[in-house]
Amino acid sequence: MHNDDMYASWTLAFVRGAGPRYRQIADFIETSVAANRMQPGDRLPPQRGLAQHLGVDLTTVTRAYAEAGQRGLLEARGPLGTFIARPAEQPLLQMLDLGMNMPPLPLGCDLQDLLRRGLAKAMERHDVGVMMTYHQAGGGPAEREAGAQWLAQSVERVDPDRVLVCPGAQAALAAVMLAYSRPGDGIIAEPLVYPGLLTAAQQLGRRVLVAESDADGMTPAGLERACRDGGRLVYLNPTLQNPTAHTMSVARRRDLVRSAVACGVRIIEDDPYSLFLDGAPSALASLAPASVFYIATLAKTLTPGLRTAFVLGPDRDSRRNVLAAMRSFAVMAAPLMGVLTTQWITSGAARQILDGVRAEAQARQQLARQLLPGPFPAAAAGIHLWQPLPDGWTAADLERVARDEGLSVTSSEAFHQGPGAPNAIRISLGSIPEREALAQALARLAGLVSRQPRGLRDVIV
């Protein structure tokens, strides 16, 4: 790099909330190296000159160069200056997880303290021997009342007698499928779908029927055709859908409910994300309570460690049927988690955690939208994004190359049924604990997406 061009590539815009400026400079160097905008052997500007160019003080640049040096990106050559290091001199990168969909730690909320106080309250009110023995499957009256209170944030007219407490949404999904379909029956779904549904259907011997979909999701005509092909249940994730983050319109929800009722099939409404969205459309369970099994897990809104999900059935008989099916593989939810969850919900602690998770998730959405190319849905809500890829990349190739460079992302192929998966990846924003580390990961990913892939053929031995 000639001296005249020394500052040409330094088009760095500092981002509020992305960490100290010296780290943003170091991240910029790392991203530029990943994108081949800075090559091994390139000489970096003198620190004083770069400080003037970026409008920061000399100490900031000095700390940035030191940070980049610790990452193995730079090498100092005495009076000759500072240079981009050769690849062999760069250390192995720590894997940064953008693949696991989970809520971030809540902003302004001490989760450890809430956990300590919640367990202390549980110990005050319940005998240890009682908590450590077998409990009523599906939750006792207090747990179902707490579940109804939580579900009432999203669904109208919640009767506690229709609420079932399950050890996670996957168990709830499998139990509904066991109770209301038989081996060989079809489970109707959109082309892009939660992978847990595909796994459950395969293990239970059910067929997944892909219904025609458009930009607003499954179409009523597609649902009706799939019903004629043996569909017995309809699976929908209509709000901030996983993986696309699309939210289905109210009009489409009403049309799908009418088609399902006309076909005589039940709907499984998997709704882990609607509490992140202000003004979320009416739940399908509010539009057609007699036709919908509504599943809401706390794993995506509070913490996966609770291992608790609530199922709202169409009636009391459906609750008994699903409970009987669930007993074939899960005798009960963990009593200690049930006691803690109930205490958190009734005391308001669960809502406090949710508010903190929502605030942190929104800040991470804004950060991702500043650093990544997009395009993204209008609503900056939820804990994941769907990133379309430019020509030259395939989703599988990007997933593989990202892993080699210390990033975990999820290819569209994990969600798509059959050939022709869209060229995109899902980016999860919650599993990296620190926002500064998330900014580093997103900047590195943005550099990777923007560069042209080279030499991606697998080695044959």
Side-chain angles (χ1 to χ4, degrees):
M1 181 181 294
H2 299 294
N3 287 340
D4 294 343
D5 301 325
M6 192 167 285
Y7 300 105
S9 62
W10 287 85
T11 55
L12 170 60
F14 294 107
V15 177
R16 180 177 297 177
R21 289 189 169 189
Y22 80 89
R23 286 190 185 172
Q24 292 193 49
I25 295 172
D27 292 343
F28 177 80
I29 294 172
E30 185 170 6
T31 301
S32 297
V33 171
N36 293 320
R37 293 192 295 270
M38 294 183 183
Q39 301 287 336
D42 282 350
R43 183 183 175 213
L44 270 68
Q47 295 181 22
R48 191 175 302 277
L50 183 59
Q52 294 175 352
H53 175 72
L54 296 177
V56 298
D57 57 53
L58 176 61
T59 303
T60 299
V61 175
T62 300
R63 293 185 69 187
Y65 278 23
E67 171 74 15
Q70 290 175 0
R71 298 183 193 179
L73 298 168
L74 306 182
E75 60 178 358
R77 301 181 187 173
L80 294 177
T82 303
F83 295 80
I84 299 295
R86 302 292 174 184
E89 299 172 16
Q90 297 182 20
L92 292 175
L93 297 173
Q94 180 181 2
M95 186 65 69
L96 293 169
D97 188 4
L98 297 170
M100 178 65 72
N101 227 23
M102 60 180 286
L105 293 173
L107 182 65
C109 180
D110 189 339
L111 191 58
Q112 183 171 341
D113 181 61
L114 287 173
L115 178 60
R116 185 184 300 111
R117 287 193 281 129
L119 289 174
K121 285 288 186 183
M123 296 290 288
E124 290 175 9
R125 298 177 181 178
H126 301 274
D127 181 80
V128 173
V130 173
M131 287 192 293
M132 293 294 105
T133 189
Y134 287 102
H135 275 225
Q136 182 177 349
E143 293 169 295
R144 296 201 305 274
E145 286 281 356
Q149 180 180 335
W150 187 258
L151 294 176
Q153 298 174 102
S154 307
V155 183
E156 299 174 5
R157 301 181 301 278
V158 180
D159 179 359
D161 287 339
R162 294 164 48 209
V163 174
L164 180 70
V165 184
C166 297
Q170 189 68 23
L173 178 59
V176 174
M177 291 171 62
L178 273 172
Y180 285 88
S181 66
R182 297 179 179 179
D185 282 349
I187 311 298
I188 305 169
E190 295 172 332
L192 288 164
V193 67
Y194 166 56
L197 173 77
L198 305 178
T199 300
Q202 181 181 19
Q203 293 298 318
L204 297 176
R206 273 61 169 173
R207 298 177 296 139
V208 176
L209 304 178
V210 181
E212 174 191 72
S213 299
D214 59 18
D216 200 19
M218 185 183 296
T219 66
L223 185 155
E224 292 164 12
R225 279 194 292 270
C227 287
R228 292 193 291 270
D229 193 28
R232 293 294 176 266
L233 288 167
V234 183
Y235 174 87
L236 291 168
N237 172 202
T239 305
L240 298 175
Q241 192 240 15
N242 183 16
T244 65
H246 170 72
T247 295
M248 184 182 290
S249 68
V250 175
R252 177 59 56 86
R253 294 173 190 230
R254 294 186 185 279
D255 290 343
L256 287 174
V257 162
R258 280 194 289 267
S259 292
V261 171
C263 292
V265 295
R266 305 282 186 124
I267 295 173
I268 300 174
E269 182 177 12
D270 191 4
D271 189 23
Y273 306 116
S274 66
L275 290 177
F276 289 110
L277 185 62
D278 292 332
S282 296
L284 300 170
S286 297
L287 299 175
S291 298
V292 177
F293 288 94
Y294 181 88
I295 301 175
T297 178
L298 301 183
K300 305 302 184 186
T301 51
L302 300 183
T303 172
L306 290 174
R307 299 308 308 142
T308 300
F310 301 117
V311 178
L312 179 64
D315 48 43
R316 298 182 185 184
D317 287 342
S318 66
R319 180 186 178 278
R320 287 192 290 268
N321 294 338
V322 174
L323 178 57
M326 191 177 71
R327 282 180 176 145
S328 67
F329 58 85
V331 174
M332 62 181 182
L336 182 59
M337 292 297 99
V339 169
L340 177 62
T341 298
T342 299
Q343 198 279 326
W344 270 0
I345 292 174
T346 55
S347 69
R351 183 67 213 194
Q352 181 183 348
I353 297 169
L354 173 62
D355 290 343
V357 171
R358 277 172 50 100
E360 180 62 25
Q362 187 171 30
R364 290 174 177 234
Q365 282 275 345
Q366 296 293 350
L367 180 62
R369 288 159 187 260
Q370 290 171 347
L371 295 173
L372 296 171
F376 302 119
I383 57 176
H384 65 276
L385 285 170
W386 186 240
Q387 173 66 70
L389 299 179
D391 293 339
W393 280 113
T394 68
D397 283 341
L398 184 71
E399 181 182 41
R400 184 168 66 253
V401 173
R403 189 186 312 114
D404 293 340
E405 299 198 9
L407 296 171
S408 171
V409 297
T410 308
S411 163
S412 57
E413 294 178 357
F415 308 95
H416 192 264
Q417 304 170 76
N423 196 30
I425 57 173
R426 189 195 68 183
I427 301 168
S428 299
L429 302 175
S431 57
I432 298 177
E434 297 180 354
R435 203 186 302 174
E436 292 179 11
L438 175 65
Q440 177 187 343
L442 294 173
R444 190 187 300 173
L445 179 61
L448 182 60
V449 170
S450 66
R451 85 185 194 208
Q452 287 298 312
R454 299 193 304 273
L456 294 176
R457 290 186 63 184
D458 291 333
V459 176
I460 299 175
V461 296

